[in-house]
């Protein structure tokens, strides 16, 4: 029986050594070994939502010169279709006619077309007066004031006969007596009742 006890003791001792050989650090090592993989996986998974942020804000859609907020863009492209300021402001309240015929020997009168002012970003010389419609008959007031441009483009007051004679020369494509010149047969007028001219000033047209 003593041998058997020794044998049992030896078996127990061997079992203890076997349990000691199974290092508990192995399981913790396995657990810790799996942790970096899980961490790496979590890191990779966490970085995925950040990808769109790296691309910046979305590109704006072209909107015909307007921002997506509804305001106009700071710059413009292409040809401007309208002037920045009212180019017709200088024409406001003015009446300009283009003479086509006159007479002054017996009765003093003039035929002239009405005009409209044309201007804009593509119009040279700050705009011009464009004749339109049929000529209308104008008579002259007894106290009419008449002005002609001299060679220096200065308006000079002249009597009605000198004015009509110079106008006639221009209508016939001739040169009036110096110092007056022809500049397109257009005149700024002030007209009273019954198309009676109260004042008339020769205009320069390049």
């Amino acid at each position: 029986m003593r041998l058997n006890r020794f044998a049992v003791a030896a078996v127990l001792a061997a079992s203890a050594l076997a349990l000691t050989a199974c290092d508990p650090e192995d399981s913790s090592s396995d657990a810790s070994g799996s942790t970096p993989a899980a961490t790496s996986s979590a890191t990779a998974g966490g970085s995925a939502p950040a990808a769109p942020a790296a691309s910046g804000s979305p590109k704006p859609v072209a909107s015909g010169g307007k921002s997506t907020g509804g305001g106009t863009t700071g710059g413009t492209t292409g040809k401007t279709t309208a002037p920045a300021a009212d180019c017709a402001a200088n024409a406001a309240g003015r009446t300009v006619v283009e003479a086509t015929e006159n007479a002054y020997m017996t009765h003093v009168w003039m035929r002239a077309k009405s005009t409209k002012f044309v201007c804009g970003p593509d119009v040279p010389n700050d705009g011009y007066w464009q004749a339109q419609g049929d000529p209308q008959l104008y008579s002259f007031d007894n106290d009419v004031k008449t002005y002609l441009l001299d060679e220096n483009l200065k308006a000079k007051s002249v009597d009605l006969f000198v004015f009509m004679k110079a106008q006639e020369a221009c209508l016939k494509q001739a040169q009036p007596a110096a110092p007056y010149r022809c500049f397109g047969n257009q005149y700024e007028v002030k007209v009273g009742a019954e198309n009676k001219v109260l004042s008339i000033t020769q205009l320069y047209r390049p």
Side-chain angles (χ1 to χ4, degrees), residues 92-112:
R94 300 174 64 187
T95 301
V96 173
V97 298
E98 184 170 303
T100 60
E101 186 181 359
N102 79 355
Y104 55 93
M105 288 300 183
T106 305
H107 301 287
V108 181
W109 54 266
M110 169 186 71
R111 291 187 186 276

